[in-house]
Every structure is written in structure tokens, then in C-alpha cells.
Amino acid sequence: MNIKAASFITSCTKVSDCPPFDRPEFALIGRSNVGKSSLLNSLVGRNSLAKVSGTPGHTQLINLFSINDHWTLVDLPGYGFAKVSKQSRATLEKMITGYLTQRSQLTRVLVLIDCRHEPQVIDLEFVEWLMSNGVPMALVFTKADKVSPTFLKNSMAKFLEAISEWCPQPPPVFASSAKTGAGRKEILAYIGQSIGL
């Protein structure tokens, strides 16, 4: 799939504020600082469509981006480790769960996992929550350029093994690097197949 046009639409504090577009949406989510905004910029071939920050918890809104005037990429707040108050964290969790369970336009959730680490409980619990709520998803292992191919392969295998007890049919899996562009074509092809392009 070729990205011919990408533009920011709006930021929302709750799902009811999201525009009532009749177009498929693909949401990016993961632990704070996993590289959501960087992946979004890589997918659309732009350096600064989504703001990138080295500070965990930078994204605290539902950010929507129009792609090719046909579908939408959604940058959701990260979960875990964000330097925000307990009240703010609860508000973010309500925002995220509201979007994931109520947004009828949501087509797939791309769950970003940092490939450099052992399977994290917070990631495993989030994937299990998506499965239990029937939210279709794919796993994207980020920062693949920072590890060896063998390490990457083992990291992905460990995560899939960790979820195999309650996820006998693993979701689609991709390895990506916003720095090198690895995985970009495969992820865009997956999105295209999901909406019949």
C-alpha cells in the first residue's frame, strides 16, 4: 500500500468526542515510550506527523490521523510507567478502554512490544484483556534495529509462548524499526488486507 496523503485530524479526551467518520481505524498502543509515535511517522513516511518525545507518557489524548482520505491511524496514550498522578492514570485508562470497547470504526489494534525486554506482565495482561473483550489485534515488536536477529527471534518466541496458554491461535506478528523502516511494508500490507485494499 502506498501512502499518498497523511494529515492530523484532531485530538480527543474521550471516545464520544471522536469524529463520526465512516472509515476504518487502526490504533497504536503499547507501554509508555515503546515507540508509538515513531512507528506512526515511519508508516506514513513523515518525520513529524506525530510528536515524538523521550518522556514516557507524552501522549495523553486520542490522536487521529487521516491516511489517504480512506482510513485512520489512531495514536493512543501508552499504558504503564507514565509519570502522571494516580488520578490522571485512571482517567487515561478510562479513555483507552472506552475507545477500544466502544469505537465501532476500530478495525485492528496494533499492540507495540519493546523487543529488547523479557515478556512484561503489563503487556501480557493487556493482550489478554484485548482477547477477552474480542478486540482484533496484531503484535508489533519495536526497536528491532537495537538487537541481533537471533535475539529478536527469541524475544518474539518468548512472548508468543507466554500468551499461548490462553491464546492458542497467535495473532499476526511483525518486527519493526522506525529507524531503519523494517516492517513498514509488511504492516501496511496487513492494514490493506484488513480493509480489502
Side-chain angles (χ1 to χ4, degrees), residues 26-159:
F26 294 82
L28 305 178
I29 194 168
R31 283 190 295 120
S32 294
N33 220 29
V34 74
K36 297 184 306 301
S37 298
S38 295
L39 177 62
L40 190 152
N41 287 332
S42 175
L43 289 176
V44 302
R46 300 265 293 276
N47 291 328
S48 58
L49 183 63
K51 294 181 180 179
V52 177
S53 172
T55 304
H58 179 74
T59 302
Q60 296 191 20
L61 297 168
I62 301 171
N63 297 308
L64 293 88
F65 301 86
S66 174
I67 310 299
N68 290 347
D69 295 321
H70 185 71
W71 54 281
T72 304
L73 266 176
V74 182
D75 188 12
L76 293 174
Y79 53 79
F81 307 121
K83 294 180 179 180
V84 296
S85 67
K86 186 176 295 185
Q87 181 178 354
S88 295
R89 190 176 298 116
T91 299
L92 289 174
E93 289 177 357
K94 184 178 180 180
M95 178 198 307
I96 292 168
T97 56
Y99 174 82
L100 294 174
T101 58
Q102 299 172 28
R103 185 67 168 166
S104 61
Q105 292 91 335
L106 179 61
T107 303
R108 295 285 189 281
V109 176
L110 304 181
V111 182
L112 278 59
I113 310 292
D114 190 331
C115 74
R116 299 174 297 176
H117 306 300
E118 293 289 318
Q120 302 290 299
V121 172
I122 193 169
D123 290 326
L124 298 172
E125 289 180 344
F126 185 74
V127 170
E128 185 175 13
W129 182 86
L130 289 175
M131 294 290 294
S132 64
N133 283 274
V135 181
M137 65 171 172
L139 302 178
V140 179
F141 289 83
T142 63
K143 307 185 181 183
D145 60 288
K146 299 182 181 297
V147 300
S148 68
T150 299
F151 188 100
L152 174 63
K153 182 179 179 180
N154 289 339
S155 178
M156 295 166 69
K158 286 180 181 178
F159 195 91

